[in-house]
Amino acid sequence: MLTPKDPSSTSTAPSRTPKQLTVLIALIGLCSLIEIVLTLSDWQVIDIVRLRQTVYEYGGFWPGLLDNWRPNYAAQPATMFLTYGFLHGGLGHLIVNMITLYSLGSAVMDRVVGRGFVVIYGGSVLGGAIAYALLAQTPQPMVGASGALFGLAGALLGWNYLDRVDLREDIWPVVRMAGLLIAINVVMWWALNGHLAWQTHLGGFLSGALIAITVYRKT
């Protein structure tokens, strides 16, 4: 990810430590554990009928619950704005997302640690869900940590943009990276025949960037 050319351009923040990385590792571990259990159920190693479908029904983001669908439990229309981010659509989906999470999460923790990371990540999960609720034109459920991952990318790009403005440096690298993210979404949308929650990616990216440049600008 992009970094300022002059290290003195940013105010100093404590470097991440193994203890502080436990938040990131715990998050990766939780998402991985859930998907591993669901996969073992798919393979019938765990004999629980319809486990994945049931977990999706209770934890996925269902746009219809914001309309006239009956929830499985009273708080579901609210909790699904967060729970969807811990579920994935298979081992491949999980692996790609968790590798990306560790890479981007580590970079974000070089700038903010502990609580700051949690706020940016959680805010991006929420922002991604809100954007999906407002923009999606399908009743299909949505799962995955991609909204939060785009939020971490948005935070890094937001910081880099401000750092470059402060130094009066060329912002073209930031624009280029933002264009690359757009291109990735277009290619993925095409490759998946439109089955891509780009709305979640957009909402997560904007939320992460906004939180980073307003709440944690000076860290």
Side-chain angles (χ1 to χ4, degrees):
M1 192 53 64
L2 303 171
T3 56
K5 294 179 181 177
D6 182 1
S8 64
S9 65
T10 58
S11 53
T12 58
S15 299
R16 64 181 188 269
T17 66
K19 182 178 180 180
Q20 291 160 339
L21 277 175
T22 55
V23 175
L24 181 58
I25 298 302
L27 183 58
I28 293 173
L30 177 58
C31 291
S32 300
L33 177 61
I34 293 172
E35 180 53 40
I36 289 171
V37 171
L38 296 182
T39 298
L40 290 176
S41 176
D42 294 341
W43 293 347
Q44 298 182 345
V45 175
I46 297 177
D47 188 17
I48 303 178
V49 179
R50 296 187 72 255
L51 180 59
R52 183 179 294 275
Q53 293 89 335
T54 300
V55 170
Y56 284 176
E57 288 172 4
Y58 278 78
F61 189 94
W62 296 86
L65 291 176
L66 301 176
D67 191 6
N68 58 359
W69 289 16
R70 177 181 297 178
N72 292 304
Y73 55 95
Q76 187 177 6
T79 59
M80 69 177 184
F81 278 82
L82 294 177
T83 56
Y84 82 93
F86 296 94
L87 305 178
H88 288 84
L91 283 178
H93 189 201
L94 172 77
I95 291 170
V96 171
N97 275 1
M98 293 304 99
I99 291 174
T100 306
L101 172 56
Y102 186 81
S103 176
L104 294 178
S106 298
V108 168
M109 282 192 170
D110 282 335
R111 186 87 179 218
V112 293
V113 293
R115 182 180 301 175
F117 172 81
V118 172
V119 171
I120 292 172
Y121 190 90
S124 299
V125 172
L126 181 59
I130 292 174
Y132 191 79
L134 294 174
L135 301 176
Q137 301 295 320
T138 173
Q140 294 181 345
M142 180 266 294
V143 297
S146 299
L149 302 183
F150 272 86
L152 298 179
L156 293 170
L157 282 179
W159 284 326
N160 192 259
Y161 171 79
L162 293 180
D163 291 338
R164 287 179 175 275
V165 169
D166 288 345
L167 288 170
R168 300 183 184 278
E169 290 186 345
D170 184 10
I171 65 169
W172 170 244
V174 179
V175 176
R176 184 174 58 204
M177 184 58 67
L180 177 60
L181 291 176
I182 294 173
I184 290 173
N185 272 273
V186 171
V187 171
M188 290 177 63
W189 182 86
W190 175 80
L192 296 172
N193 294 319
H195 298 293
L196 177 74
W198 62 266
Q199 304 92 338
T200 308
H201 297 175
L202 175 62
F205 180 87
L206 294 177
S207 298
L210 182 61
I211 294 171
I213 66 179
T214 55
V215 180
Y216 296 104
R217 168 67 180 97
K218 300 298 183 181
T219 58

